[in-house]
Amino acid sequence: MNGDSDMSNPNNEIYAKRRAAVAQQLGADSIAIIPTAPERQRNRDSDFLYRHDSYFYYLTGFSEPNSTLVIQSNGSSTLFCPPKDQEREIWDGIRLGPDAAPSSLGVDQAFSSDQVDAVIAKMTENCKSIYYPFGIHAGLDVQVGQWLTKARNRVRYGALCPANLRDLCAILDEMRLIKDAHEQDIMRAAAKISAGAHIRAMKRSASMLAQGQEVREYHLDAELLHEFRQHGSQYTAYGSIVAAGAHACILHYRADKAKVNNGELVLIDAGCELDGYASDITRTFPANGKFTGPQRALYDLVLASQQASIAATRAGARFTDPHDAAVKVLAQGMLDLGLLDANKVGNLQDVIEKRAYFQFYMHRTGHWLGMDVHDCGDYIEPSELGSSHTRHDALTGDVIINRPARILRAGMVLTIEPGIYVRPAAGVPEQFHNIGIRIEDDAIVTEIGCELITRDVPVHADEIEALMRW
Ligand code: CA
């Protein structure tokens, strides 16, 4: 949401609470420095569409570039933002400006961004520790070094120079991992828009083919974009994947110009970003609205594995439980359908232990979702960091360090996205060649299970066929 100088942001209290929570976790006499993202040049004098930094936005709700937030351990917050400038505002848009920032955003004080160096250098004097997000902002380390030098130059006048640099991500990542009610509401809204976009693309594919029109991947991509923007989404959450036929077996394929043929499957992995939050849906559907026998067999297998995954997602379970549940179903299905030959790879346990399923399922079953599509947050349980153990991999003999996976808690949001990708190879039944299927939904973890927020787009094969009937 853009700051508006005439009124205060209705969510100010939410951001103020988050800043207070950060302040509480800083050691005494410390400051935290959180810059937003820079503008990035696309070519010559055109920039890429601007996207704020997620940490900065999480603590301010402010989306102007060239801004920096400082939180002090005494709880006070300072914003540096672009100054009012009539000429620049005529070209680039209205700026909030430092005078209006405190009342509009609820920060304690604000300065023009060109005062960052002078004011922060002064603030670091007499601090014990400086916190900032490590490894995110190019050049920030150098800047911090310069502020330290200035503080050190004042030591002979009795000032203290900070002795510790700490990674602020450690604090912010843990906070962002649990989505509060405000965040969950936005994510539900984003998911709803994305679900509508998938429906639109499915229908369009079937109707164009039924009318004898040529369908290209970009036609379906256009349907997604239309639906996203139509409902106020500001961006796609990531580059949309629209993969016709064999392209579905390329995991990070992007929507391109390939022809979508009658009888092929189309895999679409796409989601919008709404008010700073991502959604992430994958559906795989028959281009003409009717699954063939082999397509349906693999589809139903992936769906069954997703159902097992969903059933394993609840507070108290480990992050790895949904993946393990999916692998079990997929591996058994690969044996049953003849993708894997039991005479060569052994039974289910062998397939899992020696990862024979990897030929057809080579990625994890989910990731955190939030402001970033691959959201921040450790996948290791922090309360059990000390209890790692090593083992020898059954396949390679390599030593592997096993650290206990994160225990899921209510309010965490993750994707559940098993798949199967059959590249042509010797011994692989020809009827399955070049079929790639992934089914992905977004889940909010609850005490008793999980809430799927993306199910406005159908997932059962029969329902997809009914939706696409032309
Ligand atoms: Ca995805």
Side-chain angles (χ1 to χ4, degrees):
M1 193 179 296
N2 278 302
D4 184 333
S5 57
D6 294 332
M7 54 187 282
S8 69
N9 183 332
N11 298 314
N12 276 349
E13 220 170 288
I14 292 167
Y15 302 114
K17 261 192 196 158
R18 292 177 187 160
R19 292 193 296 269
V22 170
Q24 270 174 12
Q25 293 176 76
L26 304 175
D29 302 323
S30 301
I31 66 167
I33 299 160
I34 309 104
T36 194
E39 293 178 285
R40 292 177 211 276
Q41 187 185 36
R42 184 172 185 275
N43 59 335
R44 206 172 289 248
D45 54 3
S46 291
D47 285 341
F48 280 105
L49 191 58
Y50 181 70
R51 167 57 156 77
H52 55 256
D53 171 77
S54 296
Y55 292 119
F56 176 85
Y57 189 81
Y58 180 73
L59 297 167
T60 61
F62 186 57
S63 54
E64 284 187 33
N66 299 317
S67 301
T68 301
L69 174 72
V70 173
I71 299 174
Q72 291 170 284
S73 47
N74 64 8
S76 123
S77 56
T78 305
L79 183 78
F80 298 86
C81 62
K84 295 296 282 179
D85 178 332
Q86 201 180 11
E87 197 197 332
R88 285 317 325 157
E89 290 182 55
I90 287 169
W91 288 94
D92 301 331
I94 304 294
R95 295 174 173 183
L96 177 62
D99 289 345
S103 62
S104 174
L105 299 173
V107 292
D108 296 309
Q109 54 175 351
F111 296 94
S112 162
S113 13
D114 47 29
Q115 288 179 271
V116 155
D117 279 325
V119 177
I120 294 187
K122 189 82 188 143
M123 284 174 155
T124 57
E125 265 181 34
N126 301 316
C127 274
K128 287 186 181 142
S129 306
I130 300 177
Y131 290 72
Y132 64 94
F134 283 8
I136 307 260
H137 302 280
L140 182 58
D141 297 290
V142 176
Q143 237 179 331
V144 170
Q146 288 164 349
W147 297 329
L148 282 174
T149 305
K150 281 190 183 160
R152 195 166 291 129
N153 287 341
R154 304 265 309 154
V155 166
R156 63 178 185 276
Y157 302 106
L160 274 177
C161 182
N164 305 298
L165 298 181
R166 297 195 184 279
D167 187 8
L168 188 63
C169 296
I171 291 173
L172 290 175
D173 289 358
E174 283 299 306
M175 289 174 62
R176 282 176 55 188
L177 200 45
I178 306 285
K179 276 69 180 175
D180 60 29
H182 169 71
E183 298 184 285
Q184 291 182 20
D185 283 347
I186 302 173
M187 293 189 75
R188 285 190 193 95
K192 206 174 174 62
I193 296 170
S194 297
H198 279 260
I199 288 176
R200 196 180 161 107
M202 285 179 188
K203 286 186 165 173
R204 182 81 167 144
S205 177
S207 71
M208 285 178 78
L209 283 175
Q211 293 171 87
Q213 294 168 12
E214 186 179 86
V215 183
R216 300 269 171 180
E217 290 166 339
Y218 55 72
H219 289 128
L220 305 184
D221 191 28
E223 298 299 316
L224 300 169
L225 291 170
H226 178 97
E227 193 74 6
F228 292 166
R229 289 295 283 149
Q230 185 72 19
H231 293 277
S233 146
Q234 295 86 350
Y235 318 93
T236 56
Y238 51 95
S240 301
I241 296 172
V242 178
H247 290 145
C249 295
I250 303 168
L251 294 181
H252 287 164
Y253 184 81
R254 294 285 291 269
D256 201 355
K257 59 184 182 209
K259 205 172 152 195
V260 177
N261 294 305
N262 227 320
E264 280 180 345
L265 292 176
V266 181
L267 182 155
I268 295 185
D269 183 343
C272 71
E273 181 179 306
L274 180 70
D275 298 340
Y277 286 82
S279 54
D280 186 359
I281 302 180
T282 308
R283 286 292 182 271
T284 310
F285 57 90
N288 61 12
K290 183 82 190 135
F291 285 95
T292 66
Q295 289 169 353
R296 175 77 190 242
L298 290 186
Y299 188 89
D300 286 346
L301 171 59
V302 176
L303 185 59
S305 77
Q306 199 209 26
Q307 278 158 346
S309 235
I310 292 164
T313 305
R314 82 183 77 82
R318 299 270 174 186
F319 174 78
T320 41
D321 288 348
H323 176 71
D324 294 343
V327 162
K328 215 167 168 182
V329 174
L330 287 170
Q332 185 60 55
M334 290 172 196
L335 288 166
D336 295 344
L337 292 170
L339 282 172
L340 292 174
D341 181 354
N343 295 320
K344 291 186 187 141
V345 295
N347 63 16
L348 176 64
Q349 201 185 330
D350 298 323
V351 169
I352 292 173
E353 221 160 82
K354 300 197 170 154
R355 294 198 299 276
Y357 63 86
F358 223 74
Q359 183 181 356
F360 307 111
Y361 182 47
M362 60 300 278
H363 61 75
R364 303 288 289 181
T365 306
H367 54 77
W368 305 132
L369 182 72
M371 299 187 123
D372 302 329
V373 63
H374 290 171
D375 208 32
C376 59
D378 278 341
Y379 289 88
I380 304 299
E381 177 54 37
S383 65
E384 298 176 6
L385 262 184
S387 56
S388 58
H389 67 273
T390 55
R391 66 176 172 86
H392 288 273
D393 185 82
L395 197 60
T396 60
D398 290 347
V399 175
I400 291 179
I401 302 174
N402 271 359
R403 296 192 173 90
R406 174 76 72 165
I407 296 171
L408 299 179
R409 285 165 56 196
M412 291 179 174
V413 181
L414 67 160
T415 63
I416 304 179
E417 48 172 320
I420 211 163
Y421 313 91
V422 186
R423 289 169 175 275
V428 175
E430 211 167 311
Q431 56 176 342
F432 298 128
H433 284 190
N434 292 317
I435 295 180
I437 293 167
R438 180 165 62 257
I439 304 172
E440 174 178 30
D441 284 286
D442 303 344
I444 301 176
V445 177
T446 66
E447 291 299 342
I448 52 163
C450 64
E451 175 192 345
L452 297 177
I453 58 175
T454 39
R455 281 295 175 89
D456 281 358
V457 51
V459 72
H460 291 276
D462 290 340
E463 288 170 11
I464 288 175
E465 288 185 346
L467 174 84
M468 295 180 72
R469 206 157 287 145
W470 176 254

